Amino acid sequence: MHVTPPMITPERPAPAGGASKVRALGRAVLRAPLTRRAWAEAAYCLIGFPLGLAGGAVLLVLLALGAGFTVSVVFFVIGALLVIAGLQLARALGRLHRRLAAGLLGEETESPPPLRPDGRFVSRIDARLWDGNGWRAAAYTLAKLPVSCLGAYAVLWWVTGLVSLTAPLRWAVFGQRPEAGDPEGMPVLSPIPAGGLHVDTFAGTFFAAAVGVAVLLCAPWVTRLVTETDRWLIRSLLGPGQLADRVRDLEETRALAVDDSVALLRRVERDLHDGAQVRLVAVAMSLDMVRQRLTEYDGGGGGAPLDVGRIRQLVDGAHQNATDALTELRDLARGIHPPVLDDGLPDALATLTSRSAIPVDLVTEVPERPTPAIETIAYFCAAELLTNVIKHSGARRAAITVAQSDGRLYLQVSDDGQGGAEMGAGSGLSGLVQRVRTVDGGIEIKSPAGGPTAVTVDLPLRA
């Protein structure tokens, strides 16, 4: 969801005219048959046709025989072994298709983990029969059957287009012309049935060439339609699966949460050791010196005279150190959990914007209060993003918008500055991404050169 800031709206470039759009589309159509991508997709369809046809046919036979044998109790083991062999074949074909797609289409897909069952023979057989990634690979291999046939049809567009384009050359140079008395003449090849078009004159071959040009201009888009379908099948069926992706994402977010908590503990320890602890030690030393001076003074009974000025100096120093220690402890506690959040996120953001060095427009619509953890993350994100605006953007005005929708909290910080904000540019955005990922959140950055900038933080209401 994109939350529009209340006062500052990004300036959109004026839309291009209809004539320029038509020219751009025309250039794209004319250049498409000459691009490397088009030829790579045609090669993918050409290689994938025999591979998909043979692999799908063999797999279909193995699975059909295996399913037929498993119906009988006597031949159940034979059927199970045939099904397992089919699943292993599907896994091997899946690896081959992934490599082919990576090499020709640039479609990088993570391989699912290998299956290594342990235990007794029956347990290993059962694990291989219930191999989820193997069955998904089998589904892809079977789906590849019709897709590979469509790929062969897409390659036919290239072949017929090239053959028809060379009709004048074949007529004039190689003598490929109809014999005398041939009533039909030279056929005009086309992947679409065109009612049996033929040419019987040299001038007519230029019509065949024009048909070839038209077919070649359409061929890249036909192959692209097939390859995009294949891409979708590869992503859906040959990857590790949604559950594995979710597990991996949870492992990453757990590691980020642990790292964030360790970094917080180290920061607290460092601040206590280098700040408040040093000042409290100074307070103790000053009070110890005061006690020593008072002990040495025996009320005028021959002891050392009481230096009131020195004692006052020591007490003043102890008082100042105690005050500074309290301030540092208060700031440290505020860094862990700002007290302003006790009254809710809207009041905390109102306090934050009131202290800003530039004017900030604030709009909050939070009918359902998030959990304290989410409020803390949202507050620190707003504070960090507002600090970036003041330090780096050169903006004259900013806006913070908070809204809820479909159980999510959306916080947007926008400005009218120079733009150019990006991840990993020393602006602290990478740290914010790690912080929000620990609760399954996300960040969207829109910051074109010249501005304006809008950063949207997406958080769940509960963590």
Side-chain angles (χ1 to χ4, degrees), residues 118 143 148 154 167 170 176 184 190 206 210 212 218 226 269 299 311 322 330-331 349 359 363 399 409 428 430 433 463:
D118 52 7
S148 61
R170 290 185 287 114
Q176 294 183 6
E184 293 187 351
S190 171
F206 290 96
C218 296
V226 176
E269 181 183 7
I311 292 177
R330 189 181 300 111
D331 293 340
L349 293 178
V363 173
L409 180 72
S430 299
V433 171

Side-chain angles (χ1 to χ4, degrees), residues 15-29:
S20 60
K21 289 184 178 180
V22 172
R23 286 195 297 269
L25 179 61
R27 286 194 296 268
V29 171

Side-chain angles (χ1 to χ4, degrees), residues 117-248:
D118 52 7
R120 298 182 178 180
F121 176 76
V122 176
S123 299
R124 292 198 298 269
I125 291 292
D126 184 69
R128 292 190 180 277
L129 283 175
W130 294 98
D131 178 16
N133 289 319
W135 283 108
R136 292 170 65 241
Y140 172 81
T141 305
L142 296 178
K144 183 70 175 179
L145 267 171
V147 173
S148 61
C149 295
L150 291 175
Y153 176 67
V155 173
L156 182 64
W157 282 69
W158 290 91
V159 174
T160 56
L162 289 172
V163 171
S164 297
L165 183 63
T166 60
L169 182 65
R170 290 185 287 114
W171 180 295
V173 178
F174 298 101
Q176 294 183 6
R177 62 191 68 176
E179 297 180 359
D182 187 351
E184 293 187 351
M186 178 187 293
V188 179
L189 299 181
S190 171
I192 301 176
L197 296 178
H198 297 78
V199 295
D200 52 6
T201 62
F202 179 67
T205 60
F206 290 96
F207 170 74
V211 173
V213 170
V215 172
L216 282 178
L217 291 178
C218 296
W221 309 104
V222 179
T223 54
R224 189 158 303 173
L225 179 62
V226 176
T227 55
E228 288 301 318
T229 303
D230 208 344
R231 283 175 187 266
W232 178 80
L233 289 173
I234 290 175
R235 296 191 196 107
S236 303
L237 299 175
L238 292 186
Q242 294 182 353
L243 180 59
D245 290 340
R246 180 59 177 164
V247 170
R248 184 174 62 252

Side-chain angles (χ1 to χ4, degrees), residues 373-391:
I374 297 300
E375 285 188 331
T376 302
I377 293 176
Y379 177 82
F380 280 120
C381 287
E384 178 68 24
L385 292 173
L386 191 57
T387 300
N388 289 343
V389 170
I390 297 172
K391 288 184 176 180

